[in-house]
Amino acid sequence: MVTRQGAVVLAYNIQREELLISEKAFAYKMKYEALKRQGKRSDLTSCQVGKKLAAEEVSQNTGDSSRQILRYIHLTELIAKLLELADEKKLPFNTAVEISYLRNEEQQVLLQYMSNHNMVPSMKQAKELKQISKERMLTYSEIDQICMNESTEKVQVQIPAKKLKQYFPETYTKTQMEEIIFKLLASWAEREGKE
C-alpha cells in the first residue's frame, strides 16, 4: 500500500521533467495499482471500466491522458534491456509500447536480432511482430522476414530546395544542381570504395 508520504514523493517524481521513461512508467504503475486496490467497487461490471477510471485518476495533474498512462504502464512489461533502450531514446516510445506486448522470450529473441543487425524496428514492423505474437510464438526467422522486407523497400530522400540553394548560384537550374550533386556523390562513392 502506498503511504501518504510515498504518494507525495510519487506525485513529485511523476512531475519531474527529466524523468526517464522507465521511471515514469513504474511511477504511473504504482499509483495506478494503489488506486485500483483502494477503489474496488462492486458496481463496476467491466474490468475495462475499472482500468479506465483508475487511469483517469492517475492522469489528473500529469499532462498525460488516461490512454497515455496505460501505454506507459504497459512499458513495464518490457525486458530490462529494451526498457533501457527506450530510456536512452534509442527505441522510440510508440515502438516500445508495441514491443511490450510480446512475450518475454520473444523480446529476448528480438533484442538478439536487433543486436546482430544493429537496427531498431520501425513502428510498422513492431505492429507486425505484435500481430504474429498474438497468433503464435514469434521466431527469429519471422522477425528477420518482417524487418528485412521493410529495409529493402525503395529509399527516397528529399532535400528542401531552400537548403540546396544556399550551395548554388541563383542562376542554376534544377538539372544543373542535380548534375553537380550526382558528380559529388560519384566522387564520394569512389573514395569510399578505395578505403
Side-chain angles (χ1 to χ4, degrees), residues 58-165:
V58 173
S59 74
Q60 292 174 2
N61 303 318
T62 65
D64 287 318
S65 68
S66 58
R67 182 175 180 273
Q68 188 72 342
I69 297 290
L70 292 172
R71 290 164 55 78
Y72 267 106
I73 291 169
H74 211 281
L75 286 177
T76 63
E77 300 295 322
L78 283 174
I79 60 174
K81 185 62 182 161
L82 288 173
L83 192 53
E84 189 179 308
L85 290 174
D87 279 340
E88 294 168 358
K89 304 212 182 327
K90 293 178 181 172
L91 181 62
F93 178 84
N94 291 329
T95 303
V97 172
E98 294 299 316
I99 291 171
S100 72
Y101 284 89
L102 303 181
R103 298 172 189 91
N104 281 2
E105 311 83 61
E106 294 169 321
Q107 291 182 36
Q108 292 286 355
V109 173
L110 176 60
L111 181 62
Q112 184 64 54
Y113 183 86
M114 290 165 60
S115 177
N116 290 349
H117 296 274
N118 193 26
M119 61 81 70
V120 172
S122 66
M123 182 65 169
K124 179 182 172 190
Q125 291 166 337
K127 284 183 175 187
E128 286 182 54
L129 295 171
K130 177 183 167 185
Q131 187 57 44
I132 290 176
S133 177
K134 281 182 184 176
E135 298 164 9
R136 62 184 176 278
M137 188 67 132
L138 191 59
T139 65
Y140 190 93
S141 62
E142 287 172 318
I143 292 170
D144 186 50
Q145 189 174 10
I146 288 168
C147 293
M148 291 309 287
N149 278 347
E150 193 171 310
S151 65
T152 57
E153 288 178 6
K154 186 178 175 183
V155 176
Q156 281 192 321
V157 177
Q158 292 183 339
I159 303 171
K162 191 176 182 180
K163 279 189 173 183
L164 277 178
K165 286 184 179 181

Side-chain angles (χ1 to χ4, degrees), residues 45-63:
T45 56
S46 164
C47 181
Q48 282 300 108
V49 173
K51 279 184 178 181
K52 191 173 181 194
L53 286 174
E56 282 174 8
E57 199 162 332
V58 173
S59 74
Q60 292 174 2
N61 303 318
T62 65

Side-chain angles (χ1 to χ4, degrees), residues 186-195:
S187 173
W188 172 79
E190 190 177 308
R191 273 197 323 270
E192 287 292 304
K194 288 179 182 175
E195 291 175 3

